Amino acid sequence: MGKHFFSETDIKSAWGQVLAAFWQRYPNPYSTHVLTEDVVFREVTPDNLLLCRRLLTKTSRLPRWAERVFPGNLSHSVYIIEDSVVDLGNRSLTTLTWNVNHAKLMRVVERCVFAGDQDRPVWTRITREAWISSGVFGLSRPIQEFGLARFRSNQVKAMKGLEHALSNLQKASAVCPGDSAEKHENLNSASKTQKPQQYI
Amino acid sequence: MNSVGEGCTELKREYDQCFNRWFAEKFLKGDRSADPCSELFLKYHTCVQKAIKEKDIPIEGVEFMGPNREKADS
């Protein structure tokens, strides 16, 4: 009946920075499987939500046993839609990402929430949830197992890629001292309750 | 990062730069003044839509956050 994945991670970066990095995370050293990235829709709604749709193409990397069963899939990249809503009012970014082709072979739907906390402004909580399913008669279980294993490994890469983008942004903003005073204040109060970064 | 339309990557870069600046300096600070990137987006968007049609990428008419509805029920 499909596989489910759930993880929750706190990262020590302010929500606004995490969002800026989210838009700029490609390319990064961990994203060689991502071939193209395009914004195909973007709009600010009357109630100030930022809606966006991105189209990504990724390499279709199947294990050898699946390649033998589905040789046709080798010729096509995977097309992925990433829809997102930024709610500035409650400091949340919600994303929904899924593949629009190869769906019968395997479909992965991932929902992420990036939430800022006013009481802990230098931290952002990332909640990641995924549903992995396959419609191939007789092979759905091994395909789903493979899908879950690959999702776990991609999730680690995704976090590393985001951290890489964050670090680039922080280096760039070190040159512009605009809001550095505010940052230092937050860091001093947050250092007492430091949590180790967790990668699942 | 490349665009799916080979000829659109430069237009994408210009739009992305404009958006990233607007996002950090205006949107995140609650500034609701007009989006300065709409012209750049239009040029980029026209180019990408053409590539999407040429490559038969099946995203036309896909509902925003479509699979979310299924997940809310499960």
Side-chain angles (χ1 to χ4, degrees):
Chain A
M1 262 310 293
K3 295 283 179 187
H4 182 250
F5 172 93
F6 180 85
S7 77
E8 210 164 55
T9 309
D10 284 346
I11 65 170
K12 197 173 180 204
S13 287
W15 182 75
Q17 282 265 292
V18 174
L19 263 65
F22 176 77
W23 300 124
Q24 301 176 62
R25 72 190 190 280
Y26 297 128
N28 68 70
Y30 311 95
S31 73
T32 50
H33 59 293
V34 181
L35 303 171
T36 72
E37 174 217 358
D38 285 288
V39 173
V40 298
F41 165 74
R42 202 173 242 150
E43 181 182 291
V44 182
T45 67
D47 41 354
N48 217 34
L49 299 178
L50 175 63
L51 310 184
C52 178
R53 168 168 286 178
R54 284 201 284 194
L55 168 68
L56 306 171
T57 65
K58 298 189 183 180
T59 54
S60 165
R61 303 149 299 149
L62 296 176
R64 199 123 331 141
W65 57 264
E67 280 178 9
R68 273 188 236 118
V69 181
F70 306 104
N73 276 301
L74 289 180
S75 53
H76 279 111
S77 308
V78 187
Y79 298 126
I80 286 154
I81 285 178
E82 175 207 85
D83 282 348
S84 59
V85 180
V86 179
D87 185 339
L88 194 59
N90 73 10
R91 295 183 102 65
S92 72
L93 160 66
T94 303
T95 74
L96 198 73
T97 305
W98 71 99
N99 55 304
V100 294
N101 66 339
H102 296 194
K104 193 188 174 197
L105 170 62
M106 181 169 68
R107 195 158 105 132
V108 180
V109 179
E110 179 201 63
R111 178 163 67 207
C112 290
V113 179
F114 298 75
D117 184 348
Q118 275 188 321
D119 298 330
R120 302 190 313 153
V122 292
W123 291 94
T124 300
R125 172 155 291 182
I126 301 175
T127 307
R128 200 184 291 265
E129 202 171 5
W131 297 266
I132 296 145
S133 59
S134 173
V136 178
F137 180 75
L139 278 176
S140 62
R141 187 174 270 165
I143 291 171
Q144 283 162 180
E145 297 282 357
F146 159 72
L148 180 61
R150 192 176 68 182
F151 181 82
R152 285 184 193 279
S153 116
N154 279 351
Q155 199 244 154
V156 173
K157 287 186 197 169
M159 280 306 302
K160 288 182 176 172
L162 185 65
E163 295 272 318
H164 179 90
L166 271 165
S167 149
N168 283 345
L169 279 177
Q170 279 154 13
K171 281 179 203 155
S173 73
V175 185
C176 311
D179 35 36
S180 58
E182 200 186 274
K183 275 183 192 163
H184 287 142
E185 216 179 275
N186 289 337
L187 280 169
N188 284 335
S189 58
S191 62
K192 295 167 193 166
T193 53
Q194 246 184 58
K195 255 177 149 185
Q197 285 179 21
Q198 299 157 43
Y199 295 106
I200 294 170
Chain B
M1 195 68 217
N2 291 332
S3 168
V4 73
E6 289 82 11
C8 310
T9 298
E10 194 45 49
L11 292 170
K12 168 186 149 62
R13 236 164 247 160
E14 284 178 30
Y15 166 70
D16 281 348
Q17 241 178 8
C18 182
F19 169 78
N20 289 324
R21 194 178 307 127
W22 169 83
F23 183 77
E25 294 172 11
K26 302 282 180 183
F27 182 81
L28 282 181
K29 299 182 180 175
D31 184 332
R32 301 186 194 194
S33 55
D35 172 10
C37 310
S38 44
E39 254 185 65
L40 285 172
F41 183 70
L42 189 57
K43 285 186 203 159
Y44 163 51
H45 181 78
T46 306
C47 186
V48 172
Q49 285 302 320
K50 189 157 169 275
I52 286 172
K53 284 202 165 62
E54 279 168 5
K55 295 182 187 223
D56 257 325
I57 300 174
I59 63 168
E60 180 80 24
V62 175
E63 188 189 350
F64 188 74
M65 295 276 194
N68 210 35
R69 194 162 296 172
E70 303 161 35
K71 296 317 150 199
D73 297 336
S74 59

